[in-house]
Amino acid sequence: MPDPNTFAANALRTTTALLVFLLFLAGPPEATASSVLPYGPGVSELTVTDTRTDRPLSGNVWYPTSTPEKHGRADKSKVWQMAEADPDGVAAEGAFPLLVISHGMYGNTLNQAWLGSALARHGYIVAMVNHPGTSTFLRDADHARELWERPVDLSRLITFLIEQSALADRIDQSRIFAAGHSLGGYTVMLLAGARFDAGLYQSLCTGDKSNVVCPVLEGWSVAEKDADRREMEISRQDDRIARIVSMDLGGTPVLSRQSLGTVEKPVLVLGSGRADLLDQDIESRMLAALLPEASTRHVELTDAGHFDFMGICKPEGYEILKEHEPGDEIVCIKGSAEREAQHGRIISELIDFFDSE
């Protein structure tokens, strides 16, 4: 495991590589061969419109189309393989499950574009927003400090989608799910009913800086003020969400043990067997152990790394990043064929979990 104290610095160094990923929608896709899957992957930009003006939310929504043969890949990056998409394609008829996804620290909505595209082709609507303060381009210090707003972002997104969006009549409101990667995993666990423990956080991070969560939250001035501590400890549970998926989360050590033990929603905990960034003993393994056994499924993906929950790198991506953005190449370790295989496993695990009784 790398030195935990370098976690924040590593996350910052990966930003340039992630910027390239934003080129995903930069150009029109070209037609490709038809698929055996039932739907095509439509995608549109979205902006949440509600009474909140202090924290604008925008991102993307993926959805099934009735033209599975119509999809393409805008090949605009030398590093990243673009996700297949039919931009603004016509949505298929029917009611589909909704999955909202929370990106990781300094990530963005396109980090899991591959998952949105794949699940749309399997009949899911998948929506993501950029979290103000903790996303690639949105790094306002006050927004970052207000970490309690991340789960609220997803609740606002759900409300917008089911009440105002063009896809409102396509959403099966009995099947609303949430998934998150890294810091996003922490975020969706709050939606499940887990709660931040300010006392635990203070005792954990006073003097001992070996836990990766400490330098990150301290760098954002999280829970330093009395008012902020109260906000951080308020429950952000959203009862509209039926199931939760944590994808190699970071943040378990600061979650209330009591709250984790009383989470009622089924939770799928996906961990990275390679443990190349996060200590599984104090993150995914601990999370799974603290959650109710009867409603928790823990899968540690053999040889998977933390960045395997992000997009696929082209074979030459590692060397390009190593030459031009030293340090960023970490995101492309085993990032091509090996990562594609991991993606297949992740998709299968999610669909099995969402379809289970």
Side-chain angles (χ1 to χ4, degrees):
M1 177 181 175
D3 180 359
N5 290 321
T6 65
F7 177 76
N10 283 340
L12 287 170
R13 286 204 306 269
T14 62
T15 299
T16 302
L18 297 181
L19 301 186
V20 183
F21 202 32
L22 289 170
L23 291 170
F24 156 67
L25 293 178
E30 296 178 359
T32 61
S34 61
S35 167
V36 296
L37 294 173
Y39 301 103
V43 64
S44 296
E45 295 182 357
L46 68 81
T47 299
V48 172
T49 55
D50 58 17
T51 58
R52 292 283 299 269
T53 59
D54 59 318
R55 191 174 172 92
L57 299 177
S58 62
N60 298 97
V61 58
W62 296 82
Y63 53 88
T65 71
S66 58
T67 51
E69 75 287 350
K70 189 177 180 182
H71 55 84
R73 185 173 285 141
D75 193 11
K76 297 293 184 180
S77 172
K78 294 181 179 180
V79 174
W80 297 97
Q81 177 176 295
M82 300 294 99
E84 294 181 340
D86 178 12
D88 297 317
V90 178
E93 295 294 330
F96 304 100
L98 168 65
L99 171 65
V100 293
I101 297 181
S102 177
H103 64 71
M105 173 183 173
Y106 292 145
N108 57 73
T109 60
L110 298 181
N111 294 164
Q112 279 74 51
W114 67 272
L115 185 55
S117 175
L119 289 179
R121 299 181 72 186
H122 283 87
Y124 288 77
I125 295 172
V126 183
M128 320 170 201
V129 290
N130 295 302
H131 292 291
T134 56
S135 63
T136 304
F137 297 120
L138 306 174
R139 301 195 182 191
D140 176 80
D142 282 332
H143 282 156
R145 175 180 58 78
E146 297 169 347
L147 199 61
W148 63 83
E149 290 283 11
R150 280 183 62 112
V152 177
D153 293 343
L154 296 186
S155 290
R156 292 172 57 199
L157 174 61
I158 292 170
T159 298
F160 169 75
L161 288 168
I162 65 177
E163 294 183 1
Q164 299 185 52
S165 77
L167 293 170
D169 63 352
R170 302 288 203 278
I171 295 173
D172 179 353
Q173 295 190 32
S174 68
R175 301 189 69 203
I176 297 177
F177 312 126
H181 173 231
S182 195
L183 181 61
Y186 166 87
T187 301
V188 298
M189 285 311 305
L190 297 179
L191 291 172
R195 299 172 74 162
F196 177 83
D197 187 325
L200 188 60
Y201 167 55
Q202 184 175 12
S203 63
L204 174 72
C205 296
T206 299
D208 180 10
K209 306 302 181 184
S210 62
N211 193 297
V212 296
V213 75
C214 297
V216 173
L217 299 191
E218 288 176 351
W220 290 338
S221 301
V222 170
E224 289 186 357
K225 303 175 182 178
D226 289 341
D228 287 0
R229 282 192 288 274
R230 289 192 293 271
E231 287 286 356
M232 286 291 292
E233 290 193 314
I234 291 174
S235 173
R236 305 296 173 179
Q237 181 173 331
D238 191 327
D239 290 331
R240 298 172 297 181
I241 299 173
R243 290 173 179 265
I244 300 286
V245 179
S246 162
M247 300 186 292
D248 209 30
L249 92 163
T252 301
V254 299
L255 292 175
S256 157
R257 306 298 187 256
Q258 186 277 333
S259 69
L260 287 172
T262 57
V263 168
E264 297 180 350
K265 301 175 187 297
V267 179
L268 171 62
V269 180
L270 295 179
S272 58
R274 198 160 77 240
D276 54 349
L277 189 66
L278 298 176
D279 184 343
Q280 295 298 295
D281 285 340
I282 62 171
E283 291 293 358
S284 291
R285 290 174 195 157
M286 179 184 288
L287 176 67
L290 292 171
L291 289 168
E293 182 178 359
S295 56
T296 303
R297 182 179 181 188
H298 178 211
V299 179
E300 196 162 290
L301 298 169
T302 306
D303 200 37
H306 186 72
F307 297 104
D308 285 338
F309 295 92
M310 291 171 53
I312 296 173
C313 297
K314 291 183 177 179
E316 62 274 21
Y318 179 89
E319 292 300 330
I320 290 174
L321 291 177
K322 185 176 181 180
E323 178 182 355
H324 297 285
E325 299 295 337
D328 285 3
E329 69 270 14
I330 186 176
V331 303
C332 284
I333 293 176
K334 294 189 175 184
S336 296
E338 297 93 339
R339 184 166 296 174
E340 188 169 14
Q342 297 292 355
H343 281 186
R345 297 176 64 195
I346 294 167
I347 293 166
S348 178
E349 291 290 350
L350 262 64
I351 292 175
D352 286 348
F353 176 66
F354 292 148
D355 287 347
S356 61
E357 295 296 330

